[in-house]
Amino acid sequence: RSSEDGPCVRVVGKSDMVLTPPECSIQYQSGRRTQIQHTFHQAYGASSSQKDLFDGIGLPLVTDLLNSKNGLLFAYGITGSGKTHTMTGEPQDPGILPRCLDVIFNSIQHLQAKKYTFMSNGKNNFEINTEAQAERERRRHQPSRNTRRRQEEASVADTVRLPESFIIGDVDPDCVYGVVVSFVEIFNDYVFDLLEEAK
Protein backbone atom coordinates (compact mmCIF):
# COMPACT_ATOMS: atom_id res chain seq x y z
CA ARG A 1 0.00 0.00 0.00
CA SER A 2 1.28 3.47 -0.77
CA SER A 3 0.85 6.79 0.91
CA GLU A 4 0.69 10.09 -0.98
CA ASP A 5 4.39 10.49 -0.27
CA GLY A 6 5.29 7.29 -2.09
CA PRO A 7 5.54 3.58 -1.34
CA CYS A 8 5.57 2.28 2.23
CA VAL A 9 8.44 -0.09 1.46
CA ARG A 10 11.51 1.03 -0.49
CA VAL A 11 14.59 -0.98 -1.34
CA VAL A 12 17.76 1.02 -0.74
CA GLY A 13 20.92 -0.46 -2.21
CA LYS A 14 21.27 -4.23 -2.45
CA SER A 15 20.43 -5.18 1.11
CA ASP A 16 18.36 -2.50 2.87
CA MET A 17 14.64 -1.81 3.07
CA VAL A 18 13.12 1.37 4.44
CA LEU A 19 9.60 1.12 5.89
CA THR A 20 7.49 4.27 6.08
CA PRO A 21 4.10 4.14 7.86
CA PRO A 22 1.21 4.96 5.50
CA GLU A 23 -1.12 7.85 6.31
CA CYS A 24 -3.88 5.46 7.38
CA SER A 25 -1.68 3.85 10.07
CA ILE A 26 -1.99 4.59 13.77
CA GLN A 27 1.71 5.41 13.91
CA TYR A 28 1.34 8.09 11.22
CA GLN A 29 -1.83 9.57 12.72
CA SER A 30 -0.28 9.79 16.20
CA GLY A 31 2.53 11.93 14.79
CA ARG A 32 5.22 9.27 15.19
CA ARG A 33 5.90 8.95 11.47
CA THR A 34 9.36 7.45 11.76
CA GLN A 35 11.03 5.45 9.07
CA ILE A 36 12.53 2.11 10.00
CA GLN A 37 15.43 0.61 8.09
CA HIS A 38 16.13 -3.14 8.01
CA THR A 39 19.22 -4.83 6.57
CA PHE A 40 19.07 -8.26 4.92
CA HIS A 41 21.53 -10.42 2.99
CA GLN A 42 19.74 -9.28 -0.16
CA ALA A 43 16.66 -7.12 -0.75
CA TYR A 44 14.51 -7.30 -3.88
CA GLY A 45 12.21 -4.51 -5.01
CA ALA A 46 9.05 -4.45 -7.10
CA SER A 47 11.07 -4.20 -10.32
CA SER A 48 12.98 -7.44 -9.61
CA SER A 49 12.22 -10.17 -12.12
CA GLN A 50 11.56 -13.85 -11.45
CA LYS A 51 14.99 -14.50 -13.00
CA ASP A 52 16.62 -12.05 -10.55
CA LEU A 53 15.03 -13.86 -7.62
CA PHE A 54 16.00 -17.28 -8.96
CA ASP A 55 19.60 -16.22 -9.61
CA GLY A 56 19.93 -14.70 -6.12
CA ILE A 57 17.95 -17.22 -4.06
CA GLY A 58 17.16 -20.43 -5.95
CA LEU A 59 20.36 -21.09 -7.88
CA PRO A 60 22.66 -20.95 -4.81
CA LEU A 61 20.31 -23.39 -3.01
CA VAL A 62 20.34 -25.82 -5.95
CA THR A 63 24.12 -25.54 -6.32
CA ASP A 64 24.56 -26.37 -2.62
CA LEU A 65 22.00 -29.17 -2.87
CA LEU A 66 23.86 -30.85 -5.73
CA ASN A 67 27.03 -30.55 -3.67
CA SER A 68 25.51 -32.58 -0.79
CA LYS A 69 24.19 -29.73 1.36
CA ASN A 70 20.64 -29.48 2.64
CA GLY A 71 18.42 -26.66 1.45
CA LEU A 72 15.12 -25.10 2.44
CA LEU A 73 13.20 -22.31 0.80
CA PHE A 74 10.56 -20.91 3.12
CA ALA A 75 8.21 -18.23 1.80
CA TYR A 76 6.46 -16.34 4.59
CA GLY A 77 4.12 -13.39 4.50
CA ILE A 78 0.58 -12.15 4.67
CA THR A 79 -2.13 -13.26 2.27
CA GLY A 80 -1.79 -11.53 -1.08
CA SER A 81 1.86 -10.56 -0.62
CA GLY A 82 3.06 -12.56 -3.64
CA LYS A 83 4.45 -15.77 -2.13
CA THR A 84 2.72 -18.12 -4.57
CA HIS A 85 3.59 -15.95 -7.56
CA THR A 86 7.23 -15.80 -6.49
CA MET A 87 7.38 -19.56 -5.95
CA THR A 88 5.46 -20.77 -9.02
CA GLY A 89 5.36 -17.84 -11.45
CA GLU A 90 3.57 -18.20 -14.77
CA PRO A 91 4.27 -20.49 -17.75
CA GLN A 92 5.97 -17.68 -19.70
CA ASP A 93 7.89 -16.46 -16.62
CA PRO A 94 8.43 -19.35 -14.18
CA GLY A 95 9.00 -18.74 -10.49
CA ILE A 96 11.71 -20.08 -8.22
CA LEU A 97 10.35 -23.64 -7.85
CA PRO A 98 10.04 -24.62 -11.53
CA ARG A 99 13.40 -23.00 -12.30
CA CYS A 100 15.05 -24.94 -9.45
CA LEU A 101 13.58 -28.23 -10.68
CA ASP A 102 14.69 -27.46 -14.24
CA VAL A 103 18.28 -26.83 -13.11
CA ILE A 104 18.32 -29.96 -10.94
CA PHE A 105 17.15 -32.21 -13.78
CA ASN A 106 19.33 -30.41 -16.36
CA SER A 107 22.34 -30.98 -14.12
CA ILE A 108 21.86 -34.62 -13.11
CA GLN A 109 20.50 -35.87 -16.48
CA HIS A 110 21.92 -39.40 -16.89
CA LEU A 111 22.97 -39.59 -13.21
CA GLN A 112 19.37 -39.80 -12.01
CA ALA A 113 18.39 -43.03 -10.24
CA LYS A 114 15.53 -45.05 -11.67
CA LYS A 115 12.17 -44.36 -10.10
CA TYR A 116 11.60 -46.10 -6.72
CA THR A 117 15.29 -46.86 -6.17
CA PHE A 118 15.13 -44.43 -3.25
CA MET A 119 11.88 -44.46 -1.27
CA SER A 120 10.81 -42.18 1.52
CA ASN A 121 9.92 -43.98 4.72
CA GLY A 122 7.65 -41.08 5.69
CA LYS A 123 9.94 -40.08 8.57
CA ASN A 124 12.25 -37.67 6.77
CA ASN A 125 14.49 -40.55 5.77
CA PHE A 126 14.91 -42.87 2.80
CA GLU A 127 15.38 -46.53 2.10
CA ILE A 128 17.36 -47.89 -0.84
CA ASN A 129 15.56 -50.62 -2.78
CA THR A 130 17.21 -53.37 -4.75
CA GLU A 131 16.58 -53.27 -8.50
CA ALA A 132 13.97 -56.05 -8.12
CA GLN A 133 12.15 -54.13 -5.35
CA ALA A 134 12.24 -50.93 -7.39
CA GLU A 135 10.84 -52.75 -10.44
CA ARG A 136 7.97 -54.16 -8.34
CA GLU A 137 7.19 -50.63 -7.09
CA ARG A 138 7.28 -49.24 -10.63
CA ARG A 139 4.77 -51.87 -11.78
CA ARG A 140 2.58 -51.33 -8.73
CA HIS A 141 2.47 -47.56 -9.33
CA GLN A 142 1.95 -47.68 -13.09
CA PRO A 143 -0.50 -44.93 -13.99
CA SER A 144 -4.03 -45.75 -15.08
CA ARG A 145 -5.31 -44.72 -18.51
CA ASN A 146 -7.03 -41.65 -16.98
CA THR A 147 -3.83 -40.61 -15.22
CA ARG A 148 -1.86 -41.06 -18.47
CA ARG A 149 -4.40 -38.88 -20.31
CA ARG A 150 -4.04 -36.15 -17.63
CA GLN A 151 -0.24 -36.39 -17.92
CA GLU A 152 -0.46 -36.04 -21.71
CA GLU A 153 -2.73 -33.00 -21.32
CA ALA A 154 -0.28 -31.54 -18.76
CA SER A 155 2.64 -32.14 -21.13
CA VAL A 156 0.80 -30.21 -23.84
CA ALA A 157 0.29 -27.37 -21.34
CA ASP A 158 4.02 -27.53 -20.51
CA THR A 159 4.95 -26.83 -24.13
CA VAL A 160 4.20 -23.13 -23.55
CA ARG A 161 6.36 -23.02 -20.41
CA LEU A 162 9.81 -21.54 -20.86
CA PRO A 163 12.23 -23.87 -19.05
CA GLU A 164 15.37 -22.71 -17.29
CA SER A 165 18.35 -23.97 -19.30
CA PHE A 166 21.14 -23.44 -16.73
CA ILE A 167 23.28 -26.49 -15.91
CA ILE A 168 25.49 -26.84 -12.84
CA GLY A 169 28.68 -28.26 -14.28
CA ASP A 170 30.46 -29.58 -11.19
CA VAL A 171 28.00 -32.38 -10.32
CA ASP A 172 29.80 -35.47 -9.00
CA PRO A 173 29.65 -38.08 -11.80
CA ASP A 174 30.30 -40.89 -9.31
CA CYS A 175 26.95 -40.29 -7.58
CA VAL A 176 23.44 -41.44 -8.41
CA TYR A 177 20.76 -38.85 -7.66
CA GLY A 178 17.19 -39.30 -6.45
CA VAL A 179 14.86 -36.31 -6.39
CA VAL A 180 12.13 -36.02 -3.77
CA VAL A 181 10.20 -32.76 -3.52
CA SER A 182 7.84 -31.47 -0.83
CA PHE A 183 5.64 -28.46 -1.53
CA VAL A 184 3.33 -27.52 1.32
CA GLU A 185 1.25 -24.55 2.36
CA ILE A 186 0.51 -23.71 5.99
CA PHE A 187 -2.75 -21.80 6.32
CA ASN A 188 -4.70 -21.24 9.54
CA ASP A 189 -2.56 -23.85 11.34
CA TYR A 190 -3.31 -26.53 8.71
CA VAL A 191 -0.66 -28.04 6.45
CA PHE A 192 -1.73 -28.64 2.84
CA ASP A 193 0.32 -30.85 0.51
CA LEU A 194 0.23 -28.91 -2.75
CA LEU A 195 1.53 -31.90 -4.75
CA GLU A 196 -1.14 -34.34 -3.60
CA GLU A 197 -3.47 -35.51 -6.37
CA ALA A 198 -7.10 -34.44 -5.98
CA LYS A 199 -9.32 -37.31 -4.82
Side-chain angles (χ1 to χ4, degrees):
R1 177 178 264 180
S2 297
S3 68
E4 288 181 7
D5 298 330
C8 299
V9 179
R10 285 184 299 115
V11 175
V12 180
K14 290 186 174 185
S15 59
D16 292 321
M17 291 187 131
V18 175
L19 308 176
T20 305
E23 291 178 6
C24 63
S25 72
I26 294 171
Q27 187 172 6
Y28 180 88
Q29 293 171 4
S30 68
R32 292 178 287 136
R33 187 173 194 250
T34 56
Q35 292 184 336
I36 302 168
Q37 185 165 336
H38 295 281
T39 301
F40 301 91
H41 291 291
Q42 180 74 40
Y44 296 92
S47 64
S48 298
S49 68
Q50 294 281 31
K51 178 75 169 143
D52 294 337
L53 291 168
F54 169 72
D55 288 346
I57 297 169
L59 189 55
L61 277 173
V62 172
T63 302
D64 284 349
L65 179 70
L66 293 178
N67 286 299
S68 302
K69 295 180 184 174
N70 290 327
L72 170 69
L73 181 54
F74 183 79
Y76 182 76
I78 62 170
T79 300
S81 62
K83 299 176 300 294
T84 301
H85 176 73
T86 300
M87 294 301 293
T88 58
E90 300 171 8
Q92 304 82 5
D93 190 18
I96 293 174
L97 182 61
R99 289 176 191 264
C100 285
L101 291 173
D102 285 343
V103 171
I104 289 170
F105 288 109
N106 293 345
S107 302
I108 64 173
Q109 294 179 21
H110 62 280
L111 301 173
Q112 185 178 352
K114 288 184 178 178
K115 198 169 190 178
Y116 300 111
T117 300
F118 302 108
M119 292 206 41
S120 172
N121 67 3
K123 298 176 182 157
N124 204 27
N125 211 340
F126 299 90
E127 296 172 2
I128 301 173
N129 283 332
T130 65
E131 181 54 41
Q133 291 169 320
E135 182 58 36
R136 270 195 304 275
E137 288 295 326
R138 284 192 286 274
R139 273 194 244 114
R140 193 168 73 96
H141 290 94
Q142 237 175 2
S144 67
R145 292 182 78 198
N146 289 339
T147 303
R148 271 189 242 124
R149 188 176 303 123
R150 280 197 306 267
Q151 289 171 342
E152 288 167 7
E153 289 167 2
S155 70
V156 169
D158 283 345
T159 58
V160 297
R161 187 172 82 77
L162 298 175
E164 179 65 43
S165 59
F166 191 87
I167 295 174
I168 296 170
D170 61 345
V171 175
D172 187 346
D174 295 326
C175 289
V176 175
Y177 294 85
V179 178
V180 178
V181 177
S182 298
F183 189 34
V184 298
E185 176 182 46
I186 302 170
F187 185 73
N188 287 339
D189 297 329
Y190 291 98
V191 178
F192 298 95
D193 183 346
L194 299 178
L195 299 177
E196 184 178 54
E197 285 191 37
K199 294 177 183 175

